[in-house]
Amino acid sequence: MKILIHVCCAPCFTYPHKRMLEEGHDVTAYFYNPNIHPYREYKNRLESVEKYVELKGTKVFYDNNYDIENYLRGALAAEDRCTFCYTGRLEQTAKMARQLEFDAFTTTLLISPYQKHDTLAQIGKKIAEQSGIEFYYEDFREGYQESRNISKDLGLYMQKYCGCIFSEKERYFPQL
Ligand code: SF4
């Protein structure tokens, strides 16, 4: 299948990329992450993806619509900010996949044991039904450690928090 994969960061892309190539898919990366703050962190992750795709000769699209204002408004108003965050990124990926005539879309977020995996899978499925483009689901979590090892070997930047400013606070704010 011709698959457009939403890429949250280079380390999380490594293993799903390898898996999907082994399965014979034609994989194109799509970087779209207005949730990542601050901007220098966003740049670090973007540059890391640039480095990885260059090393691997992978096709890639960069969506530089870094609309943090809209993201923050939505995240603050949402009942569950991660659901809002997943939905926005996956909807945009599905839209691009449809426009560019891919067979399916997916996301590297499916590798992380720190994400709400079942929520992600449900959102992907729902967007697939609404948009008419298949959601490629695979539980990549078994490859999480391998993805860290590959990233270390390639010298890829590895972030310390999920992405948004709220997750940065959760990571560093002293818990009394
Ligand atoms: S914690 Fe991660 S998934 Fe949740 S809203 Fe923040 S960046 Fe998005």
Side-chain angles (χ1 to χ4, degrees):
M1 275 201 292
K2 211 175 142 201
I3 300 174
L4 186 67
I5 182 166
H6 161 258
V7 171
C8 63
C9 63
C12 288
F13 184 34
T14 56
Y15 177 81
H17 186 212
K18 179 178 156 235
R19 280 279 304 151
M20 289 192 294
L21 291 180
E22 282 167 2
E23 287 161 10
H25 298 300
D26 179 354
V27 181
T28 300
Y30 180 52
F31 187 87
Y32 172 65
N33 298 292
N35 56 307
I36 300 171
H37 309 145
Y39 181 66
R40 276 176 296 179
E41 177 70 21
Y42 175 87
K43 280 285 280 178
N44 284 340
R45 298 190 198 187
L46 173 63
E47 284 165 10
S48 180
V49 171
E50 287 170 343
K51 177 177 172 177
Y52 178 77
V53 296
E54 196 177 329
L55 277 170
K56 297 288 174 181
T58 309
K59 289 171 281 185
V60 62
F61 293 105
Y62 298 102
D63 190 326
N64 291 320
N65 182 15
Y66 184 60
D67 188 1
I68 54 165
E69 293 82 1
N70 198 34
Y71 168 80
L72 287 171
R73 267 193 297 272
L76 286 168
E79 202 173 303
D80 179 280
R81 72 164 192 263
C82 296
T83 297
F84 166 77
C85 183
Y86 299 150
T87 303
R89 289 186 284 169
L90 289 185
E91 276 179 348
Q92 179 61 19
T93 308
K95 189 175 150 197
M96 287 299 292
R98 206 182 144 97
Q99 273 174 15
L100 299 169
E101 300 184 336
F102 282 83
D103 299 316
F105 73 100
T106 189
T107 176
T108 55
L109 292 164
L110 290 170
I111 195 176
S112 173
Y114 302 107
Q115 301 294 344
K116 298 171 186 174
H117 190 90
D118 295 343
T119 303
L120 265 171
Q122 280 165 13
I123 291 171
K125 212 174 141 203
K126 192 171 159 201
I127 294 171
E129 284 163 9
Q130 289 165 348
S131 64
I133 181 149
E134 186 176 331
F135 177 60
Y136 179 88
Y137 172 79
E138 190 169 328
D139 189 348
F140 293 120
R141 287 177 294 184
E142 65 183 37
Y144 185 73
Q145 191 49 52
E146 190 177 336
S147 76
R148 303 302 106 171
N149 297 341
I150 299 170
S151 301
K152 243 182 244 168
D153 290 347
L154 295 178
L156 298 175
Y157 171 72
M158 288 204 254
Q159 64 270 15
K160 304 286 188 292
Y161 58 96
C162 185
C164 64
I165 208 72
F166 311 107
S167 61
E168 196 261 4
K169 178 182 174 184
E170 284 163 4
R171 171 70 177 78
Y172 293 112
F173 190 74
Q175 303 294 318
L176 301 175

PDB file of all heavy atoms in Angstrom, residues 22-54:
ATOM      1  N   GLU A  22       9.510  -3.494   5.473  1.00  0.00           N
ATOM      2  CA  GLU A  22       9.636  -4.966   5.455  1.00  0.00           C
ATOM      3  C   GLU A  22       8.358  -5.610   4.929  1.00  0.00           C
ATOM      4  O   GLU A  22       8.395  -6.653   4.281  1.00  0.00           O
ATOM      5  CB  GLU A  22       9.896  -5.490   6.874  1.00  0.00           C
ATOM      6  CG  GLU A  22      11.325  -5.324   7.344  1.00  0.00           C
ATOM      7  CD  GLU A  22      11.494  -5.550   8.851  1.00  0.00           C
ATOM      8  OE1 GLU A  22      10.501  -5.869   9.547  1.00  0.00           O
ATOM      9  OE2 GLU A  22      12.632  -5.387   9.327  1.00  0.00           O
ATOM     10  N   GLU A  23       7.239  -4.965   5.202  1.00  0.00           N
ATOM     11  CA  GLU A  23       5.950  -5.507   4.752  1.00  0.00           C
ATOM     12  C   GLU A  23       5.644  -5.116   3.300  1.00  0.00           C
ATOM     13  O   GLU A  23       4.588  -5.468   2.773  1.00  0.00           O
ATOM     14  CB  GLU A  23       4.833  -5.010   5.677  1.00  0.00           C
ATOM     15  CG  GLU A  23       4.868  -5.695   7.036  1.00  0.00           C
ATOM     16  CD  GLU A  23       4.100  -4.937   8.112  1.00  0.00           C
ATOM     17  OE1 GLU A  23       3.385  -3.978   7.775  1.00  0.00           O
ATOM     18  OE2 GLU A  23       4.248  -5.297   9.281  1.00  0.00           O
ATOM     19  N   GLY A  24       6.560  -4.371   2.690  1.00  0.00           N
ATOM     20  CA  GLY A  24       6.415  -4.059   1.266  1.00  0.00           C
ATOM     21  C   GLY A  24       5.628  -2.805   0.952  1.00  0.00           C
ATOM     22  O   GLY A  24       5.235  -2.584  -0.200  1.00  0.00           O
ATOM     23  N   HIS A  25       5.375  -1.968   1.969  1.00  0.00           N
ATOM     24  CA  HIS A  25       4.618  -0.740   1.711  1.00  0.00           C
ATOM     25  C   HIS A  25       5.515   0.374   1.165  1.00  0.00           C
ATOM     26  O   HIS A  25       6.724   0.389   1.398  1.00  0.00           O
ATOM     27  CB  HIS A  25       3.938  -0.268   3.001  1.00  0.00           C
ATOM     28  CG  HIS A  25       2.954  -1.266   3.535  1.00  0.00           C
ATOM     29  ND1 HIS A  25       1.861  -1.686   2.803  1.00  0.00           N
ATOM     30  CD2 HIS A  25       2.916  -1.950   4.715  1.00  0.00           C
ATOM     31  CE1 HIS A  25       1.190  -2.579   3.514  1.00  0.00           C
ATOM     32  NE2 HIS A  25       1.804  -2.759   4.670  1.00  0.00           N
ATOM     33  N   ASP A  26       4.852   1.285   0.494  1.00  0.00           N
ATOM     34  CA  ASP A  26       5.516   2.475  -0.034  1.00  0.00           C
ATOM     35  C   ASP A  26       5.208   3.594   0.972  1.00  0.00           C
ATOM     36  O   ASP A  26       4.052   4.018   1.100  1.00  0.00           O
ATOM     37  CB  ASP A  26       4.904   2.765  -1.420  1.00  0.00           C
ATOM     38  CG  ASP A  26       5.484   3.994  -2.078  1.00  0.00           C
ATOM     39  OD1 ASP A  26       6.280   4.705  -1.427  1.00  0.00           O
ATOM     40  OD2 ASP A  26       5.119   4.265  -3.237  1.00  0.00           O
ATOM     41  N   VAL A  27       6.232   4.030   1.708  1.00  0.00           N
ATOM     42  CA  VAL A  27       6.005   4.897   2.872  1.00  0.00           C
ATOM     43  C   VAL A  27       6.486   6.333   2.626  1.00  0.00           C
ATOM     44  O   VAL A  27       7.625   6.559   2.226  1.00  0.00           O
ATOM     45  CB  VAL A  27       6.759   4.330   4.109  1.00  0.00           C
ATOM     46  CG1 VAL A  27       6.507   5.198   5.336  1.00  0.00           C
ATOM     47  CG2 VAL A  27       6.346   2.891   4.378  1.00  0.00           C
ATOM     48  N   THR A  28       5.598   7.272   2.900  1.00  0.00           N
ATOM     49  CA  THR A  28       5.953   8.696   2.826  1.00  0.00           C
ATOM     50  C   THR A  28       5.665   9.331   4.178  1.00  0.00           C
ATOM     51  O   THR A  28       4.603   9.098   4.766  1.00  0.00           O
ATOM     52  CB  THR A  28       5.130   9.413   1.728  1.00  0.00           C
ATOM     53  OG1 THR A  28       5.404   8.789   0.472  1.00  0.00           O
ATOM     54  CG2 THR A  28       5.484  10.900   1.644  1.00  0.00           C
ATOM     55  N   ALA A  29       6.615  10.132   4.661  1.00  0.00           N
ATOM     56  CA  ALA A  29       6.463  10.778   5.968  1.00  0.00           C
ATOM     57  C   ALA A  29       5.734  12.113   5.832  1.00  0.00           C
ATOM     58  O   ALA A  29       5.842  12.784   4.800  1.00  0.00           O
ATOM     59  CB  ALA A  29       7.845  11.008   6.567  1.00  0.00           C
ATOM     60  N   TYR A  30       5.036  12.472   6.901  1.00  0.00           N
ATOM     61  CA  TYR A  30       4.313  13.753   6.919  1.00  0.00           C
ATOM     62  C   TYR A  30       4.501  14.391   8.300  1.00  0.00           C
ATOM     63  O   TYR A  30       4.017  13.863   9.297  1.00  0.00           O
ATOM     64  CB  TYR A  30       2.833  13.509   6.630  1.00  0.00           C
ATOM     65  CG  TYR A  30       1.989  14.764   6.616  1.00  0.00           C
ATOM     66  CD1 TYR A  30       2.342  15.864   5.842  1.00  0.00           C
ATOM     67  CD2 TYR A  30       0.827  14.844   7.369  1.00  0.00           C
ATOM     68  CE1 TYR A  30       1.564  17.016   5.824  1.00  0.00           C
ATOM     69  CE2 TYR A  30       0.034  15.991   7.355  1.00  0.00           C
ATOM     70  CZ  TYR A  30       0.414  17.066   6.578  1.00  0.00           C
ATOM     71  OH  TYR A  30      -0.349  18.199   6.559  1.00  0.00           O
ATOM     72  N   PHE A  31       5.240  15.500   8.328  1.00  0.00           N
ATOM     73  CA  PHE A  31       5.516  16.177   9.608  1.00  0.00           C
ATOM     74  C   PHE A  31       4.510  17.303   9.797  1.00  0.00           C
ATOM     75  O   PHE A  31       4.539  18.304   9.075  1.00  0.00           O
ATOM     76  CB  PHE A  31       6.949  16.723   9.606  1.00  0.00           C
ATOM     77  CG  PHE A  31       7.384  17.286  10.935  1.00  0.00           C
ATOM     78  CD1 PHE A  31       7.940  16.475  11.916  1.00  0.00           C
ATOM     79  CD2 PHE A  31       7.239  18.645  11.211  1.00  0.00           C
ATOM     80  CE1 PHE A  31       8.336  16.986  13.143  1.00  0.00           C
ATOM     81  CE2 PHE A  31       7.631  19.176  12.439  1.00  0.00           C
ATOM     82  CZ  PHE A  31       8.186  18.345  13.400  1.00  0.00           C
ATOM     83  N   TYR A  32       3.643  17.122  10.753  1.00  0.00           N
ATOM     84  CA  TYR A  32       2.639  18.154  11.066  1.00  0.00           C
ATOM     85  C   TYR A  32       2.365  18.104  12.571  1.00  0.00           C
ATOM     86  O   TYR A  32       1.698  17.187  13.056  1.00  0.00           O
ATOM     87  CB  TYR A  32       1.342  17.911  10.286  1.00  0.00           C
ATOM     88  CG  TYR A  32       0.224  18.832  10.733  1.00  0.00           C
ATOM     89  CD1 TYR A  32       0.317  20.217  10.544  1.00  0.00           C
ATOM     90  CD2 TYR A  32      -0.915  18.334  11.370  1.00  0.00           C
ATOM     91  CE1 TYR A  32      -0.690  21.056  10.980  1.00  0.00           C
ATOM     92  CE2 TYR A  32      -1.931  19.180  11.799  1.00  0.00           C
ATOM     93  CZ  TYR A  32      -1.804  20.526  11.604  1.00  0.00           C
ATOM     94  OH  TYR A  32      -2.796  21.371  12.041  1.00  0.00           O
ATOM     95  N   ASN A  33       2.930  19.056  13.308  1.00  0.00           N
ATOM     96  CA  ASN A  33       2.862  19.004  14.771  1.00  0.00           C
ATOM     97  C   ASN A  33       2.801  20.393  15.407  1.00  0.00           C
ATOM     98  O   ASN A  33       3.761  20.822  16.062  1.00  0.00           O
ATOM     99  CB  ASN A  33       4.101  18.250  15.295  1.00  0.00           C
ATOM    100  CG  ASN A  33       4.149  16.824  14.798  1.00  0.00           C
ATOM    101  OD1 ASN A  33       3.325  15.996  15.167  1.00  0.00           O
ATOM    102  ND2 ASN A  33       5.105  16.526  13.925  1.00  0.00           N
ATOM    103  N   PRO A  34       1.679  21.091  15.263  1.00  0.00           N
ATOM    104  CA  PRO A  34       1.577  22.421  15.876  1.00  0.00           C
ATOM    105  C   PRO A  34       1.471  22.359  17.396  1.00  0.00           C
ATOM    106  O   PRO A  34       1.447  23.407  18.055  1.00  0.00           O
ATOM    107  CB  PRO A  34       0.288  22.987  15.256  1.00  0.00           C
ATOM    108  CG  PRO A  34      -0.504  21.799  14.854  1.00  0.00           C
ATOM    109  CD  PRO A  34       0.482  20.730  14.492  1.00  0.00           C
ATOM    110  N   ASN A  35       1.415  21.147  17.936  1.00  0.00           N
ATOM    111  CA  ASN A  35       1.335  20.961  19.394  1.00  0.00           C
ATOM    112  C   ASN A  35       2.686  21.104  20.087  1.00  0.00           C
ATOM    113  O   ASN A  35       2.739  21.175  21.312  1.00  0.00           O
ATOM    114  CB  ASN A  35       0.787  19.561  19.689  1.00  0.00           C
ATOM    115  CG  ASN A  35       1.630  18.484  19.030  1.00  0.00           C
ATOM    116  OD1 ASN A  35       1.873  18.550  17.819  1.00  0.00           O
ATOM    117  ND2 ASN A  35       2.137  17.537  19.783  1.00  0.00           N
ATOM    118  N   ILE A  36       3.787  21.095  19.319  1.00  0.00           N
ATOM    119  CA  ILE A  36       5.110  21.062  19.959  1.00  0.00           C
ATOM    120  C   ILE A  36       5.572  22.471  20.336  1.00  0.00           C
ATOM    121  O   ILE A  36       5.673  23.350  19.488  1.00  0.00           O
ATOM    122  CB  ILE A  36       6.158  20.387  19.045  1.00  0.00           C
ATOM    123  CG1 ILE A  36       5.748  18.952  18.732  1.00  0.00           C
ATOM    124  CG2 ILE A  36       7.535  20.401  19.715  1.00  0.00           C
ATOM    125  CD1 ILE A  36       6.610  18.284  17.668  1.00  0.00           C
ATOM    126  N   HIS A  37       5.871  22.643  21.603  1.00  0.00           N
ATOM    127  CA  HIS A  37       6.323  23.934  22.138  1.00  0.00           C
ATOM    128  C   HIS A  37       7.553  23.723  23.005  1.00  0.00           C
ATOM    129  O   HIS A  37       7.701  22.662  23.608  1.00  0.00           O
ATOM    130  CB  HIS A  37       5.234  24.578  22.999  1.00  0.00           C
ATOM    131  CG  HIS A  37       3.907  24.658  22.332  1.00  0.00           C
ATOM    132  ND1 HIS A  37       2.723  24.517  22.998  1.00  0.00           N
ATOM    133  CD2 HIS A  37       3.588  24.859  21.025  1.00  0.00           C
ATOM    134  CE1 HIS A  37       1.715  24.635  22.153  1.00  0.00           C
ATOM    135  NE2 HIS A  37       2.210  24.819  20.954  1.00  0.00           N
ATOM    136  N   PRO A  38       8.375  24.739  23.183  1.00  0.00           N
ATOM    137  CA  PRO A  38       8.360  25.985  22.419  1.00  0.00           C
ATOM    138  C   PRO A  38       8.921  25.769  21.007  1.00  0.00           C
ATOM    139  O   PRO A  38       9.283  24.651  20.642  1.00  0.00           O
ATOM    140  CB  PRO A  38       9.252  26.915  23.246  1.00  0.00           C
ATOM    141  CG  PRO A  38      10.215  25.989  23.917  1.00  0.00           C
ATOM    142  CD  PRO A  38       9.452  24.699  24.167  1.00  0.00           C
ATOM    143  N   TYR A  39       9.037  26.853  20.261  1.00  0.00           N
ATOM    144  CA  TYR A  39       9.424  26.734  18.858  1.00  0.00           C
ATOM    145  C   TYR A  39      10.804  26.085  18.685  1.00  0.00           C
ATOM    146  O   TYR A  39      11.013  25.313  17.751  1.00  0.00           O
ATOM    147  CB  TYR A  39       9.402  28.115  18.184  1.00  0.00           C
ATOM    148  CG  TYR A  39       9.775  28.039  16.728  1.00  0.00           C
ATOM    149  CD1 TYR A  39       8.956  27.365  15.819  1.00  0.00           C
ATOM    150  CD2 TYR A  39      10.957  28.601  16.261  1.00  0.00           C
ATOM    151  CE1 TYR A  39       9.302  27.258  14.485  1.00  0.00           C
ATOM    152  CE2 TYR A  39      11.305  28.499  14.927  1.00  0.00           C
ATOM    153  CZ  TYR A  39      10.476  27.833  14.048  1.00  0.00           C
ATOM    154  OH  TYR A  39      10.830  27.725  12.730  1.00  0.00           O
ATOM    155  N   ARG A  40      11.724  26.347  19.602  1.00  0.00           N
ATOM    156  CA  ARG A  40      13.066  25.752  19.449  1.00  0.00           C
ATOM    157  C   ARG A  40      13.012  24.225  19.588  1.00  0.00           C
ATOM    158  O   ARG A  40      13.770  23.508  18.947  1.00  0.00           O
ATOM    159  CB  ARG A  40      14.051  26.362  20.448  1.00  0.00           C
ATOM    160  CG  ARG A  40      14.640  27.678  19.921  1.00  0.00           C
ATOM    161  CD  ARG A  40      15.534  28.326  20.919  1.00  0.00           C
ATOM    162  NE  ARG A  40      14.773  28.710  22.094  1.00  0.00           N
ATOM    163  CZ  ARG A  40      15.286  29.287  23.169  1.00  0.00           C
ATOM    164  NH1 ARG A  40      16.562  29.530  23.235  1.00  0.00           N
ATOM    165  NH2 ARG A  40      14.522  29.621  24.185  1.00  0.00           N
ATOM    166  N   GLU A  41      12.090  23.759  20.415  1.00  0.00           N
ATOM    167  CA  GLU A  41      11.895  22.314  20.547  1.00  0.00           C
ATOM    168  C   GLU A  41      11.314  21.754  19.233  1.00  0.00           C
ATOM    169  O   GLU A  41      11.732  20.701  18.751  1.00  0.00           O
ATOM    170  CB  GLU A  41      10.946  22.036  21.718  1.00  0.00           C
ATOM    171  CG  GLU A  41      10.598  20.581  21.930  1.00  0.00           C
ATOM    172  CD  GLU A  41      11.760  19.738  22.438  1.00  0.00           C
ATOM    173  OE1 GLU A  41      12.714  20.312  23.006  1.00  0.00           O
ATOM    174  OE2 GLU A  41      11.727  18.505  22.250  1.00  0.00           O
ATOM    175  N   TYR A  42      10.369  22.488  18.690  1.00  0.00           N
ATOM    176  CA  TYR A  42       9.768  22.108  17.401  1.00  0.00           C
ATOM    177  C   TYR A  42      10.867  21.995  16.337  1.00  0.00           C
ATOM    178  O   TYR A  42      10.932  21.027  15.585  1.00  0.00           O
ATOM    179  CB  TYR A  42       8.735  23.166  17.026  1.00  0.00           C
ATOM    180  CG  TYR A  42       8.088  23.020  15.682  1.00  0.00           C
ATOM    181  CD1 TYR A  42       6.948  22.236  15.505  1.00  0.00           C
ATOM    182  CD2 TYR A  42       8.602  23.703  14.572  1.00  0.00           C
ATOM    183  CE1 TYR A  42       6.337  22.127  14.265  1.00  0.00           C
ATOM    184  CE2 TYR A  42       7.990  23.601  13.333  1.00  0.00           C
ATOM    185  CZ  TYR A  42       6.861  22.811  13.181  1.00  0.00           C
ATOM    186  OH  TYR A  42       6.266  22.705  11.943  1.00  0.00           O
ATOM    187  N   LYS A  43      11.753  22.998  16.308  1.00  0.00           N
ATOM    188  CA  LYS A  43      12.846  23.015  15.324  1.00  0.00           C
ATOM    189  C   LYS A  43      13.773  21.820  15.513  1.00  0.00           C
ATOM    190  O   LYS A  43      14.220  21.202  14.555  1.00  0.00           O
ATOM    191  CB  LYS A  43      13.661  24.308  15.458  1.00  0.00           C
ATOM    192  CG  LYS A  43      13.033  25.498  14.796  1.00  0.00           C
ATOM    193  CD  LYS A  43      13.158  25.481  13.285  1.00  0.00           C
ATOM    194  CE  LYS A  43      14.545  25.942  12.819  1.00  0.00           C
ATOM    195  NZ  LYS A  43      14.660  25.885  11.360  1.00  0.00           N
ATOM    196  N   ASN A  44      14.083  21.505  16.771  1.00  0.00           N
ATOM    197  CA  ASN A  44      14.957  20.357  17.040  1.00  0.00           C
ATOM    198  C   ASN A  44      14.361  19.073  16.478  1.00  0.00           C
ATOM    199  O   ASN A  44      15.046  18.249  15.877  1.00  0.00           O
ATOM    200  CB  ASN A  44      15.146  20.170  18.551  1.00  0.00           C
ATOM    201  CG  ASN A  44      16.104  21.184  19.135  1.00  0.00           C
ATOM    202  OD1 ASN A  44      16.896  21.787  18.418  1.00  0.00           O
ATOM    203  ND2 ASN A  44      16.036  21.399  20.438  1.00  0.00           N
ATOM    204  N   ARG A  45      13.052  18.923  16.680  1.00  0.00           N
ATOM    205  CA  ARG A  45      12.407  17.688  16.214  1.00  0.00           C
ATOM    206  C   ARG A  45      12.293  17.670  14.689  1.00  0.00           C
ATOM    207  O   ARG A  45      12.465  16.630  14.052  1.00  0.00           O
ATOM    208  CB  ARG A  45      11.030  17.534  16.874  1.00  0.00           C
ATOM    209  CG  ARG A  45      11.161  17.410  18.382  1.00  0.00           C
ATOM    210  CD  ARG A  45       9.856  17.022  19.036  1.00  0.00           C
ATOM    211  NE  ARG A  45       9.879  17.305  20.465  1.00  0.00           N
ATOM    212  CZ  ARG A  45       8.946  16.957  21.328  1.00  0.00           C
ATOM    213  NH1 ARG A  45       7.911  16.280  20.897  1.00  0.00           N
ATOM    214  NH2 ARG A  45       9.040  17.252  22.608  1.00  0.00           N
ATOM    215  N   LEU A  46      12.007  18.831  14.131  1.00  0.00           N
ATOM    216  CA  LEU A  46      11.925  18.937  12.677  1.00  0.00           C
ATOM    217  C   LEU A  46      13.287  18.603  12.040  1.00  0.00           C
ATOM    218  O   LEU A  46      13.379  17.817  11.085  1.00  0.00           O
ATOM    219  CB  LEU A  46      11.479  20.364  12.312  1.00  0.00           C
ATOM    220  CG  LEU A  46      11.479  20.751  10.847  1.00  0.00           C
ATOM    221  CD1 LEU A  46      10.496  19.897  10.053  1.00  0.00           C
ATOM    222  CD2 LEU A  46      11.116  22.219  10.670  1.00  0.00           C
ATOM    223  N   GLU A  47      14.345  19.185  12.599  1.00  0.00           N
ATOM    224  CA  GLU A  47      15.686  18.951  12.031  1.00  0.00           C
ATOM    225  C   GLU A  47      16.104  17.486  12.169  1.00  0.00           C
ATOM    226  O   GLU A  47      16.803  16.944  11.306  1.00  0.00           O
ATOM    227  CB  GLU A  47      16.703  19.880  12.711  1.00  0.00           C
ATOM    228  CG  GLU A  47      16.575  21.300  12.181  1.00  0.00           C
ATOM    229  CD  GLU A  47      17.278  22.355  13.028  1.00  0.00           C
ATOM    230  OE1 GLU A  47      18.051  21.989  13.945  1.00  0.00           O
ATOM    231  OE2 GLU A  47      17.038  23.547  12.789  1.00  0.00           O
ATOM    232  N   SER A  48      15.646  16.871  13.219  1.00  0.00           N
ATOM    233  CA  SER A  48      15.955  15.461  13.422  1.00  0.00           C
ATOM    234  C   SER A  48      15.256  14.597  12.355  1.00  0.00           C
ATOM    235  O   SER A  48      15.827  13.636  11.834  1.00  0.00           O
ATOM    236  CB  SER A  48      15.505  15.084  14.831  1.00  0.00           C
ATOM    237  OG  SER A  48      15.760  13.769  15.097  1.00  0.00           O
ATOM    238  N   VAL A  49      14.020  14.967  12.017  1.00  0.00           N
ATOM    239  CA  VAL A  49      13.303  14.257  10.951  1.00  0.00           C
ATOM    240  C   VAL A  49      14.018  14.493   9.614  1.00  0.00           C
ATOM    241  O   VAL A  49      14.225  13.563   8.826  1.00  0.00           O
ATOM    242  CB  VAL A  49      11.818  14.697  10.877  1.00  0.00           C
ATOM    243  CG1 VAL A  49      11.132  14.131   9.631  1.00  0.00           C
ATOM    244  CG2 VAL A  49      11.062  14.255  12.125  1.00  0.00           C
ATOM    245  N   GLU A  50      14.444  15.740   9.393  1.00  0.00           N
ATOM    246  CA  GLU A  50      15.173  16.040   8.148  1.00  0.00           C
ATOM    247  C   GLU A  50      16.425  15.164   8.034  1.00  0.00           C
ATOM    248  O   GLU A  50      16.733  14.629   6.974  1.00  0.00           O
ATOM    249  CB  GLU A  50      15.565  17.521   8.120  1.00  0.00           C
ATOM    250  CG  GLU A  50      14.383  18.448   7.861  1.00  0.00           C
ATOM    251  CD  GLU A  50      14.709  19.933   8.074  1.00  0.00           C
ATOM    252  OE1 GLU A  50      15.723  20.260   8.715  1.00  0.00           O
ATOM    253  OE2 GLU A  50      13.912  20.765   7.613  1.00  0.00           O
ATOM    254  N   LYS A  51      17.118  15.032   9.135  1.00  0.00           N
ATOM    255  CA  LYS A  51      18.344  14.225   9.145  1.00  0.00           C
ATOM    256  C   LYS A  51      18.032  12.752   8.836  1.00  0.00           C
ATOM    257  O   LYS A  51      18.695  12.120   8.016  1.00  0.00           O
ATOM    258  CB  LYS A  51      18.998  14.344  10.536  1.00  0.00           C
ATOM    259  CG  LYS A  51      20.232  13.501  10.727  1.00  0.00           C
ATOM    260  CD  LYS A  51      20.839  13.740  12.095  1.00  0.00           C
ATOM    261  CE  LYS A  51      21.965  12.759  12.369  1.00  0.00           C
ATOM    262  NZ  LYS A  51      22.630  13.001  13.650  1.00  0.00           N
ATOM    263  N   TYR A  52      16.994  12.246   9.479  1.00  0.00           N
ATOM    264  CA  TYR A  52      16.649  10.829   9.304  1.00  0.00           C
ATOM    265  C   TYR A  52      16.213  10.523   7.867  1.00  0.00           C
ATOM    266  O   TYR A  52      16.689   9.554   7.272  1.00  0.00           O
ATOM    267  CB  TYR A  52      15.544  10.426  10.296  1.00  0.00           C
ATOM    268  CG  TYR A  52      15.115   9.004  10.120  1.00  0.00           C
ATOM    269  CD1 TYR A  52      15.903   7.951  10.594  1.00  0.00           C
ATOM    270  CD2 TYR A  52      13.937   8.687   9.446  1.00  0.00           C
ATOM    271  CE1 TYR A  52      15.526   6.634  10.410  1.00  0.00           C
ATOM    272  CE2 TYR A  52      13.552   7.374   9.253  1.00  0.00           C
ATOM    273  CZ  TYR A  52      14.353   6.353   9.739  1.00  0.00           C
ATOM    274  OH  TYR A  52      13.974   5.038   9.541  1.00  0.00           O
ATOM    275  N   VAL A  53      15.312  11.358   7.318  1.00  0.00           N
ATOM    276  CA  VAL A  53      14.815  11.058   5.964  1.00  0.00           C
ATOM    277  C   VAL A  53      15.926  11.193   4.925  1.00  0.00           C
ATOM    278  O   VAL A  53      15.946  10.474   3.930  1.00  0.00           O
ATOM    279  CB  VAL A  53      13.568  11.893   5.567  1.00  0.00           C
ATOM    280  CG1 VAL A  53      12.377  11.575   6.449  1.00  0.00           C
ATOM    281  CG2 VAL A  53      13.851  13.380   5.550  1.00  0.00           C
ATOM    282  N   GLU A  54      16.857  12.090   5.212  1.00  0.00           N
ATOM    283  CA  GLU A  54      17.979  12.221   4.284  1.00  0.00           C
ATOM    284  C   GLU A  54      18.864  10.965   4.335  1.00  0.00           C
ATOM    285  O   GLU A  54      19.269  10.427   3.314  1.00  0.00           O
ATOM    286  CB  GLU A  54      18.790  13.469   4.622  1.00  0.00           C
ATOM    287  CG  GLU A  54      19.697  13.846   3.454  1.00  0.00           C
ATOM    288  CD  GLU A  54      20.486  15.110   3.694  1.00  0.00           C
ATOM    289  OE1 GLU A  54      19.979  15.994   4.407  1.00  0.00           O
ATOM    290  OE2 GLU A  54      21.614  15.172   3.169  1.00  0.00           O
TER     291      GLU A  54
END
